Amino acid sequence: MTSRASSRTTNSRAHDRRPIRSSLAGPVLMNPAGRIATFKNWAAVVIQFLTNRFPAELGDVQIGFSTVPMPNEQEWDFEHSRFYSIDRANKTIVLHRMPIQQFRGLHVNDDDHRRMFVEHVVYKAVCEYLEVGPWELMPGYFEHY
């Protein structure tokens, strides 16, 4: 008399089920180190800094993300390079992820410079929303550098 356990092959699992073919979480979870999550994290740090610094001006402004600009938005030109859209009537700023990430004007293409460019675009969008120059938004704040 042989037991059922001894008759199993080495590749079978308990209760004769098929082997697991993929992770239990599946493909629905986003990669936390992926380009979308990284972009949102980099932008969120600057957004939080600016909203904490200027709660009266930015407290009720919604700053969101989209993949690409909508086709009915402003025409393409160099001045408005489609990195963000501003709607003062609805108090919204929308950052467009793909044009920012696909920008090829960085003199060094590494994570630090890509992060600084994302921060620059967020800062520039907030400055344009508030209708102030970047040097006027926080005068003297960076002079110790």
Side-chain angles (χ1 to χ4, degrees):
M1 174 167 198
T2 61
S3 71
R4 184 162 167 81
S6 64
S7 65
R8 285 189 204 148
T9 64
T10 57
N11 291 334
S12 67
R13 294 181 48 230
H15 308 291
D16 294 323
R17 294 183 190 154
R18 293 184 307 200
I20 295 175
R21 289 188 258 167
S22 65
S23 69
L24 294 175
V28 295
L29 294 177
M30 291 182 59
N31 180 3
R35 67 180 184 274
I36 297 171
T38 302
F39 172 83
K40 288 183 178 180
N41 289 336
W42 288 343
V45 169
V46 181
I47 292 168
Q48 183 178 8
F49 171 75
L50 291 173
T51 53
N52 288 340
R53 183 94 172 147
F54 304 101
E57 295 88 347
L58 297 174
D60 56 349
V61 176
Q62 296 294 319
I63 303 176
F65 306 102
S66 75
T67 304
V68 293
M70 298 301 290
N72 60 352
E73 293 183 17
Q74 63 196 14
E75 291 298 318
W76 178 278
D77 62 358
F78 186 75
E79 183 66 28
H80 299 94
S81 56
R82 308 283 286 221
F83 293 141
Y84 54 87
S85 301
I86 293 176
D87 185 0
R88 286 185 185 85
N90 293 324
K91 296 184 176 183
T92 59
I93 299 172
V94 178
L95 302 168
H96 307 300
R97 181 184 57 81
M98 283 184 64
I100 296 170
Q101 287 182 323
Q102 293 177 351
F103 180 69
R104 299 291 179 228
L106 300 176
H107 66 282
V108 177
N109 192 11
D110 63 357
D111 280 346
D112 290 335
H113 287 80
R114 285 190 292 271
R115 178 185 49 80
M116 285 187 281
F117 184 71
V118 171
E119 293 170 352
H120 164 76
V121 171
V122 173
Y123 193 75
K124 185 175 175 184
V126 168
C127 286
E128 186 174 324
Y129 179 84
L130 297 175
E131 296 179 331
V132 297
W135 54 91
E136 298 171 328
L137 190 59
M138 294 188 298
Y141 187 77
F142 299 105
E143 288 182 359
H144 61 282
Y145 292 108

